[in-house]
Amino acid sequence: MAGSTVPSKVQESPEGDDVARRLLDSAAQLAYDPATEVDWETPLDKEFHGASPEWSTLYGTAYWGELTEEQRKELTRQEAASVASTGIWFEMILQQMMLRDIYMKNPAGAEFQWALTEIAEECRHSIMFARGAQKLGAPHYRPRRAVMELGRVFKTLAFGEAAYAAILVAEEVLDVMQRDWMRDERVVPFVRTINNIHVVEESRHMKFARDETLKRLEGAGWARRRINAFVVAVASYVIVTSMVNPEVYRKAGLDKKRALAAARRNEHHKSMMRSSCSGLMDFLASARLLTKPALAFYKRANLI
């Protein structure tokens, strides 16, 4: 439950060590250094999109139909930069939660060493996202102040399955988008490289988050599951609705008020989110974390 301590049997789990060892082996065999893997030197080619246009919050709307191709490309570049900036914000939360979780664990254990490996990868991802957003010509997008403060509370109080399930939701939602972007030749090459690096390394992080969520829920009672289901759903709603900053429309030269209204009514984008998150929702259902109050927040976030 959020705010509870982790049971001692979880801290030294042989099964957890087995999963962690496999992830450590994977990281040793396949890892990237974004400083050298990404082409940071070539100037931005504005003939490319920043993300697959089908993932734009305005794609399929009447307003999208009025935009020039140049405006569409600029919009997707700003949206991709905003998603990256939100990713940095949540990765910082993730790193603090994981450090707190392993604080008392045995440093010789595979779980401890995997956690530090994941944190190291997340540090590189955050730097990579920051440089990517800068190269896309974006300002410093960040969630609203209230959301930033909620994140401060969440990273301080969330423990166990509440922390790991929220980590999983954030990672999976970003993963489904980036799998499309990295294969799309309309997307600027350096962003495709960034997406590929993130998808490969986050697959390990998602495996760990799923495993930890299920382990922490073992023996959890009715009340604990309901409380944590609600906490995770609220956190997921806040994360997903913060991905695209409203200022992207102004930066792309659009009418911000009109763009926001069109984006909120965009059934195409809502459908993209729902269809891409079906596997995630299946997992949460199997973990019995899809209670009625939680479902209300997932529906509002268009994840189900």
Side-chain angles (χ1 to χ4, degrees), residues 15-63:
E15 293 82 4
D17 259 13
D18 186 52
V19 171
R21 285 191 193 97
R22 292 199 300 271
L23 295 174
L24 283 168
D25 288 342
S26 173
Q29 294 170 26
L30 186 59
Y32 297 95
D33 180 359
T36 57
E37 296 282 349
V38 181
D39 179 6
W40 300 115
E41 302 305 319
T42 302
L44 174 66
D45 187 341
K46 293 190 176 182
E47 291 301 309
F48 287 92
H49 284 275
S52 297
E54 291 80 8
W55 275 101
S56 173
T57 54
L58 293 185
Y59 184 88
T61 65
Y63 198 6

Side-chain angles (χ1 to χ4, degrees), residues 188-207:
V188 65
F190 85 90
V191 170
R192 294 179 64 194
T193 304
I194 287 173
N195 292 331
N196 182 68
I197 291 172
H198 198 248
V199 163
V200 169
E201 297 189 341
E202 286 296 321
S203 65
R204 295 190 284 264
H205 304 180
M206 290 187 291
K207 168 64 178 172

Side-chain angles (χ1 to χ4, degrees), residues 39-207:
D39 179 6
W40 300 115
E41 302 305 319
T42 302
L44 174 66
D45 187 341
K46 293 190 176 182
E47 291 301 309
F48 287 92
H49 284 275
S52 297
E54 291 80 8
W55 275 101
S56 173
T57 54
L58 293 185
Y59 184 88
T61 65
Y63 198 6
W64 177 269
E66 297 175 19
L67 301 181
T68 66
E69 195 60 25
E70 289 72 22
Q71 287 176 312
R72 293 173 179 175
K73 290 173 180 175
E74 181 61 27
L75 175 60
T76 61
R77 289 195 293 268
Q78 294 302 317
E79 288 176 320
S82 179
V83 169
S85 297
T86 303
I88 295 169
W89 165 66
F90 193 75
E91 284 179 346
M92 292 176 69
I93 292 173
L94 178 159
Q95 291 168 49
Q96 292 177 72
M97 291 193 298
M98 291 192 72
L99 279 171
R100 188 178 66 242
D101 188 48
I102 66 171
Y103 181 68
M104 296 287 288
K105 290 187 178 179
N106 178 7
E111 279 194 76
F112 182 95
Q113 293 177 22
W114 163 252
L116 290 183
T117 300
E118 180 171 335
I119 290 166
E121 289 181 345
E122 295 293 12
C123 285
R124 292 194 296 271
H125 294 170
S126 293
I127 296 170
M128 175 176 72
F129 284 162
R131 294 184 69 179
Q134 181 182 31
K135 187 167 179 176
L136 285 168
H140 179 201
Y141 294 121
R142 67 168 68 186
R144 302 187 311 275
R145 178 61 182 268
V147 171
M148 297 287 285
E149 295 304 324
L150 281 172
R152 193 188 302 278
V153 173
F154 181 74
K155 73 178 178 61
T156 303
L157 299 180
F159 287 82
E161 62 269 21
Y164 282 103
I167 288 170
L168 179 64
V169 172
E171 290 174 337
E172 292 234 15
V173 171
L174 192 56
D175 181 74
V176 292
M177 295 180 185
Q178 291 186 323
R179 285 181 183 275
D180 283 350
W181 303 355
M182 74 183 193
R183 301 185 185 103
D184 194 337
E185 294 185 358
R186 296 170 296 176
V187 175
V188 65
F190 85 90
V191 170
R192 294 179 64 194
T193 304
I194 287 173
N195 292 331
N196 182 68
I197 291 172
H198 198 248
V199 163
V200 169
E201 297 189 341
E202 286 296 321
S203 65
R204 295 190 284 264
H205 304 180
M206 290 187 291
K207 168 64 178 172

